[in-house]
Amino acid sequence: MHEMSKGANIGLATLSEDTGAVVVGLSWSSAAGDGDADVSVLLVDDSGKVRGETDFYFYNHPAAEDGSVQLLGKVPTENGSEDRISLDLTAIPEDITTIVVAASQYGGARFGDLDDLRMTVTDRSGEPLLGFSIEDATIETAFIFGELYRRNAEWKFRAVGQGYETGLAGLATDFGIAVDEEDEPPTAALSTGPAEADGSPASGIAPAPQAAGTVMIPAQAGAEGEPAVATTPAPARRRATRTTKKKITLPKAAKRSLAENDSWKPARLFPVPSYKSDREREVRATSVLLSVMAEVPEFGRRLTAGFGAPAGRMQTFTEVSLPHGDSPKRPDGVIRTERAGKLWTALVETKTNGNPLKSEQVQNYMDIAARRGYEAVITLSNDVALEGSPLVEVKTDGRRKHKVSLWHLSWAEVAHQAQMLIRHEGVGNAAHAWLLQELLHYLQHENSGCHGFQNMGPSWVPVRNGIDTETLCQGDPRAVEVVESWERLIRQVCLRLGGELGQKTLPVQRARRGTDPKSRRTALADRLCEEGKLSAELRVDGAHDILSITADLRTGKIRTSMDVPTPDGAYPLSIAKRFLRALDEAPADLHVETLLEGRSGPRGTLERLRPEPGDLLPKDGAVITGFRLSLFKGMGNSRGSTESGFIRSIDEAVDRFYGSVVAPLGQFEQRRTPRARPATAPSGTE
């Protein structure tokens, strides 16, 4: 990888022979685990300005219609998170001369509070081309990391590292983005998307509470195509970037059925009969997925952009026979994308249920792809890939000039992307939204075999028994396997929760800089042997607080908890009363603990504290810094995802805590310092 210094530039053609499409990564970390930022991309012409608002891409406008720019979202890394952007340079309009890559913070946060600010560029095969680290960040709230620009029909990169103290609005204004001025924005009820007939949220998980200052745009536009009117739950900041045109989403609330009784099942495009063969499940799942990818451009691009596929006409095939030695091989599927007369091809290997990927099988496809000049091999299974822990081991021949990249998708990730599109971000066609709905129903059906991570592995029972009998010693490799399974489970919980809420949800990483995955998991395994606990932290994008999950294998209890800081400038008793009122609908067995400076204070269940809010106040008058909320649940023992399984119990614990505790806290949290962001996209029907 070529390391860049601030102000330096280099031609992409000097770094790789294939730079028609690249993936840009922006990463950062925080020792406290609370660092975050939003990426944005601006397409600029010779004037140094954007041609219009559609040339500005951010979380509310994540992709270009032609697929030239696609914000792929955040992925967890060992030391923090990384936001990835797919750029198809062959599809960038001719009058665009510069692609500006930036990031911004909000709510008073500054880039100087983050560590390891870094930008990387990789080619379509995933080969790193260049890296640029920013080490002089201080009070900036927005940063231009770098830019790609044309010179004599060649794309070059410049390491910029320019900061702004005026945030995203100031950066956008410099490049010609119109900014709305709102001296006294109106107030209105917070819109959280589609709801049931009685007005309650359609999902079992309540939507993430929006911060004060977040501008909500109703899905219905004004007359004659005029922009919809923005409303806010609380006074918003004066400047907010404008939103883009709405897209089509499907309401979560089902229409009233015309069936005579509840036993009638609606006809489905993709029926799921009771298969007796895993092979039948794999064939059908592959065909269903690939057909929808080809028919719904937004979905196909979303799944393949991160693999280096260009935006273009996509065709998919199943059960293709390809020569290999004495007998032909038949990959489960093939994806081909055409752009400007060039083909990008990937072979697909699929597994359903708990069937593992086979190294020999994947190796054969890697060899076939290399000989035929294909770009990638994509594996698809219920397992979740982790950094530093590959699902299959393959060997690559370094003497071959043509490189083949190996990528992995989890069925949980496929379902997550489908749900994000049809429930929150929208697609451009109503029929496409319906197709994605049918795909999602198929994936979630109990007979599909596409349920995501569903087995803690063979080491789960021995490790659990060893902890119970206190015979598990540090250094036991089985404990490392359980830690890896736990990490996969948490990644899947994030995908499922994020899909329900329409917000990016990621595990919080607190590893020291430079810690490799193997040593980090070994240290966590030693803690498991010593303490008998598995712990994780989740952060929902846009939420203030971190959700903690602890599975105590000794007591058989799962604890979900969250620390809520108190607002400044209020009397302690008023804070306690308002806090308990916000939890009026929370479970009676919710544990509430008062947090003081450097120590814990009074505690009790919500049932006991509701009549006497004063019991939350310390007797010595110490300053209250916050409250810790906790729910406890019995832990499933089996390693699978059955009703009595450990995986199911974790899912249920997170759902209950988020739906019944976190969501109702919105009114209390709005009185705290707002985490203002630019206007958000339409999320449902008005």
Side-chain angles (χ1 to χ4, degrees):
M1 179 186 294
H2 183 80
E3 288 294 330
M4 305 286 293
S5 58
K6 187 173 182 177
N9 59 74
I10 191 171
L12 298 183
T14 64
L15 302 175
S16 174
E17 297 179 354
D18 184 9
T19 56
V22 297
V23 175
V24 175
L26 301 185
S27 60
W28 40 75
S29 64
S30 169
D34 56 359
D36 195 12
D38 289 324
V39 303
S40 53
V41 174
L42 301 100
L43 304 186
V44 179
D45 59 17
D46 285 328
S47 68
K49 307 288 186 181
V50 298
R51 300 169 304 175
E53 292 182 354
T54 55
D55 284 340
F56 179 39
Y57 300 94
F58 59 119
Y59 61 88
N60 183 33
H61 181 213
E65 292 293 336
D66 60 2
S68 57
V69 179
Q70 298 184 75
L71 306 190
L72 304 177
K74 292 180 175 64
V75 295
T77 62
E78 291 305 317
N79 299 322
S81 64
E82 180 181 55
D83 249 298
R84 294 177 181 172
I85 307 161
S86 172
L87 299 175
D88 186 349
L89 301 180
T90 64
I92 298 295
E94 290 295 330
D95 54 342
I96 295 298
T97 60
T98 305
I99 305 171
V100 179
V101 180
S104 57
Q105 290 199 282
Y106 34 83
R110 305 178 300 180
F111 276 95
D113 300 328
L114 300 179
D115 300 321
D116 307 319
L117 293 172
R118 183 167 174 80
M119 176 177 181
T120 59
V121 178
T122 63
D123 63 18
R124 69 170 75 240
S125 69
E127 186 71 22
L129 301 181
L130 58 89
F132 168 49
S133 296
I134 297 177
E135 300 177 350
D136 57 352
T138 55
I139 61 174
E140 299 85 358
T141 55
F143 245 106
I144 296 178
F145 279 65
E147 59 185 27
L148 291 95
Y149 62 97
R150 296 186 205 255
R151 283 294 183 272
N152 301 322
E154 177 191 0
W155 283 99
K156 305 184 74 174
F157 172 80
R158 178 183 294 114
V160 179
Q162 175 186 344
Y164 287 75
E165 296 180 34
T166 51
L168 180 60
L171 184 153
T173 302
D174 276 2
F175 287 96
I177 299 293
V179 175
D180 293 336
E181 296 288 344
E182 297 179 349
D183 292 332
E184 295 182 3
T187 59
L190 179 63
S191 170
T192 56
E196 301 286 4
D198 63 357
S200 61
S203 169
I205 304 176
Q210 299 289 336
T214 300
V215 183
M216 302 300 296
I217 308 295
Q220 300 237 351
E224 309 256 340
E226 294 178 359
V229 179
T231 61
T232 61
R237 67 181 189 179
R238 289 175 178 267
R239 291 149 60 98
T241 55
R242 293 176 181 168
T243 57
T244 59
K245 63 182 181 181
K246 76 181 186 71
K247 291 187 176 181
I248 296 171
T249 58
L250 293 178
K252 291 183 181 179
K255 295 181 180 179
R256 187 173 64 87
S257 175
L258 300 179
E260 290 183 7
N261 57 67
D262 294 339
S263 65
W264 287 18
K265 302 298 182 184
R268 290 292 177 182
L269 181 64
F270 309 121
V272 193
S274 299
Y275 290 126
K276 296 182 179 179
S277 166
D278 284 340
R279 180 58 182 165
E280 289 178 323
R281 289 190 179 92
E282 290 176 9
V283 171
R284 186 165 184 80
T286 305
S287 181
V288 168
L289 173 63
L290 294 184
S291 64
V292 176
M293 287 175 61
E295 291 301 321
V296 185
E298 298 96 331
F299 183 60
R301 291 172 185 166
R302 179 70 65 89
L303 291 183
T304 59
F307 304 154
R313 187 170 67 97
M314 178 181 291
Q315 283 190 332
T316 54
F317 309 86
T318 59
E319 298 300 308
V320 176
S321 179
L322 297 173
H324 183 67
D326 297 333
S327 60
K329 300 298 180 183
R330 299 171 65 90
D332 292 322
V334 175
I335 302 172
R336 305 200 88 185
T337 302
E338 180 186 28
R339 178 79 189 183
K342 296 183 179 179
L343 282 174
W344 180 92
T345 303
L347 304 181
V348 180
E349 171 60 14
T350 304
K351 296 294 181 184
T352 56
N353 280 345
N355 297 319
L357 295 162
K358 299 177 181 178
S359 296
E360 181 181 0
Q361 200 172 27
V362 177
Q363 182 71 66
N364 288 335
Y365 297 148
M366 291 287 289
D367 294 339
I368 292 172
R371 286 201 306 271
R372 301 184 70 86
Y374 296 165
E375 282 71 23
V377 172
I378 301 173
T379 58
L380 181 61
S381 73
N382 281 324
D383 214 337
V384 178
L386 300 178
E387 287 185 275
S389 182
L391 296 177
V392 290
E393 297 285 350
V394 296
K395 298 179 181 179
T396 56
D397 190 344
R399 297 171 296 179
R400 283 178 173 158
K401 185 177 181 180
H402 180 74
K403 298 177 182 178
V404 177
S405 54
L406 177 62
W407 305 96
H408 179 73
L409 270 176
S410 167
W411 284 112
E413 186 175 354
V414 173
H416 167 81
Q417 297 295 357
Q419 192 164 23
M420 289 293 289
L421 282 172
I422 62 174
R423 296 297 184 206
H424 308 289
E425 298 173 8
V427 293
N429 183 292
H432 291 169
W434 175 74
L435 272 176
L436 286 176
Q437 173 75 3
E438 291 298 297
L439 171 66
L440 190 59
H441 179 272
Y442 174 86
L443 296 177
Q444 293 175 342
H445 195 282
E446 60 182 7
N447 292 329
S448 70
C450 307
H451 305 132
F453 180 76
Q454 54 186 347
N455 196 311
M456 291 295 290
S459 296
W460 170 251
V461 173
V463 167
R464 190 195 67 207
N465 292 339
I467 291 174
D468 185 51
T469 59
E470 299 185 4
T471 57
L472 188 67
C473 301
Q474 292 186 353
D476 193 320
R478 296 175 299 181
V480 177
E481 293 178 8
V482 168
V483 166
E484 290 183 349
S485 295
W486 170 252
E487 191 170 336
R488 289 187 170 96
L489 173 57
I490 294 302
R491 296 280 177 91
Q492 179 164 291
V493 168
C494 289
L495 287 171
R496 189 180 54 79
L497 185 62
E500 291 287 347
L501 301 173
Q503 300 284 352
K504 294 289 189 303
T505 305
L506 292 174
V508 175
Q509 303 286 358
R510 298 183 185 272
R512 294 182 179 179
R513 181 189 299 185
T515 303
D516 67 278
K518 184 177 180 180
S519 61
R520 181 180 64 84
R521 291 179 185 124
T522 299
L524 292 175
D526 288 343
R527 286 182 55 189
L528 171 62
C529 296
E530 181 180 354
E531 301 174 4
K533 296 179 181 180
L534 292 166
S535 300
E537 294 177 318
L538 313 181
R539 178 184 291 279
V540 177
D541 192 22
H544 291 277
D545 308 303
I546 293 174
L547 191 157
S548 299
I549 310 169
T550 301
D552 192 329
L553 276 64
R554 287 196 174 116
T555 63
K557 295 288 186 180
I558 298 171
R559 174 176 180 163
T560 45
S561 62
M562 184 176 67
D563 291 354
V564 182
T566 57
D568 298 328
Y571 290 106
L573 184 58
S574 298
I575 293 174
K577 289 181 177 180
R578 190 167 68 246
F579 184 67
L580 293 179
R581 281 199 301 269
L583 295 170
D584 188 54
E585 301 298 326
D589 61 340
L590 177 69
H591 284 239
V592 183
E593 178 182 354
T594 304
L595 301 178
L596 310 176
E597 291 182 339
R599 60 189 177 93
S600 297
R603 68 186 69 184
T605 63
L606 196 58
E607 182 179 29
R608 186 183 69 80
L609 293 170
R610 276 172 176 155
E612 297 293 340
D615 288 350
L616 280 173
L617 306 182
K619 302 301 182 183
D620 57 0
V623 176
I624 299 176
T625 60
F627 300 101
R628 177 168 297 157
L629 304 176
S630 303
L631 275 179
F632 295 86
K633 172 182 169 53
M635 187 181 76
N637 291 323
S638 64
R639 67 184 186 182
S641 58
T642 60
E643 289 290 342
S644 61
F646 175 74
I647 294 174
R648 182 72 63 87
S649 62
I650 292 292
D651 286 339
E652 292 174 350
V654 172
D655 288 354
R656 183 180 184 228
F657 187 80
Y658 208 96
S660 63
V661 178
V662 179
L665 280 176
Q667 295 296 325
F668 180 78
E669 291 196 326
Q670 284 177 12
R671 295 177 178 265
R672 291 162 47 191
T673 303
R675 188 182 188 186
R677 299 178 62 163
T680 59
S683 59
T685 302
E686 186 179 26

